[in-house]
Amino acid sequence: MQAAISRALSALAERVGNIDRYVADKLGYTLEELLGSEERSGYFSAEQVDALALAIANVEDDRGFIIGDQTGVGKGRFVAAMLRYGVKQGLVPVFVTKQPGLYADMIRDLRDIGMDDAAAKVLVTNTLRGADSIPLSEAPGDVIESFAAPKQKAIMQRIAATGEMPAGLDMVFTTYSQMQYKAGSSGVETERQEAMRALASRAMLVLDESHEAGGSESKRIDADG
């Protein structure tokens, strides 16, 4: 794996020049912000920067990228950087994960890379109001909420009609279950599905816990019931 990664990075450097500068430019950072200096810590480790370089290059070549590091290596911050990249490139990052509680982890990672207003920039497709709001810290009112159901439905219908995000919102947070058809719908798309389809041409999908994308294991029903 080390040899393959080294070859890939060398080939990329021949195309784009200095890898650190390439990533810093794509994410809108200075080199000091990216990697740090003697006076301050950077947002990313050298390994994360290498992974980001390869991922960004793949996206710009209309290809996907899979990162499979173990827990604690820093996948969350890598994913946050790719969401930032999408916004910087005029795309609509769509972050899809297993359950709404994981939104808070991603907002914290976005804040950790300098996007302090991230929570206010996200369109959440789930209904998260009041007691269902997700706390981001111990500070009062520091939570993730969604719009009230009638307004959220209207927003989804507007996106479906125009293919445009509401003013001030840069990215979408949703779950795999939110992308499914309603039980008994006979394949009729929900407002959320129609909105995501309308955004698809300028969206960048970021699939967290991607092994969940296929849904849960189907249950076998024997002939005798």
Side-chain angles (χ1 to χ4, degrees):
M1 290 176 63
Q2 180 181 4
I5 292 171
S6 295
R7 287 195 299 271
L9 288 169
S10 295
L12 181 59
E14 290 180 4
R15 288 172 49 195
V16 304
N18 182 273
I19 294 292
D20 295 342
R21 172 59 66 187
Y22 171 72
V23 174
D25 290 346
K26 292 295 183 180
L27 297 181
Y29 292 125
T30 65
L31 284 176
E32 183 179 359
E33 289 172 328
L34 187 76
L35 287 170
S37 65
E38 293 182 359
E39 290 76 28
R40 55 157 289 172
S41 298
Y43 290 132
F44 305 99
S45 68
E47 293 81 4
Q48 287 171 323
V49 171
D50 287 347
L52 286 167
L54 295 173
I56 290 169
N58 270 27
V59 171
E60 297 196 342
D61 288 339
D62 293 324
R63 295 183 295 171
F65 188 84
I66 298 173
I67 185 163
D69 288 329
Q70 293 181 336
T71 301
V73 174
K75 293 191 299 295
R77 193 168 289 205
F78 166 91
V79 171
M82 291 306 297
L83 296 178
R84 178 184 173 97
Y85 164 79
V87 172
K88 291 288 184 182
Q89 302 306 311
L91 302 172
V92 179
V94 179
F95 175 68
V96 192
T97 190
K98 181 179 179 181
Q99 55 195 23
L102 296 171
Y103 295 164
D105 293 334
M106 187 46 54
I107 293 293
R108 286 190 285 266
D109 282 319
L110 286 164
R111 289 176 173 178
D112 285 343
I113 64 169
M115 300 180 70
D116 297 333
D117 61 347
K121 298 287 189 179
V122 171
L123 173 61
V124 175
T125 67
N126 313 74
T127 302
L128 302 173
R129 302 288 293 174
D132 292 323
S133 299
I134 301 172
L136 293 167
S137 69
E138 295 181 357
D142 189 19
V143 299
I144 301 174
E145 282 195 321
S146 62
F147 295 104
K151 183 174 182 180
Q152 188 162 356
K153 181 176 181 179
I155 288 173
M156 293 300 170
Q157 290 174 335
R158 193 179 314 129
I159 292 173
T162 66
E164 298 292 332
M165 288 282 284
L169 300 180
D170 292 335
M171 60 189 85
V172 177
F173 278 22
T174 190
T175 58
Y176 294 109
S177 61
Q178 289 274 289
M179 307 312 297
Q180 296 175 354
Y181 292 104
K182 290 182 180 178
S185 67
S186 300
V188 177
E189 290 191 339
T190 64
E191 289 90 358
R192 289 189 298 269
Q193 289 172 317
E194 291 175 347
M196 295 304 100
R197 189 179 297 281
L199 289 173
S201 63
R202 50 190 291 259
M204 186 182 77
L205 286 175
V206 180
L207 307 180
D208 183 41
E209 304 288 347
S210 58
H211 58 281
E212 299 286 344
S216 58
E217 183 179 355
S218 61
K219 295 182 180 179
R220 177 178 174 179
I221 300 177
D222 295 329
D224 60 2

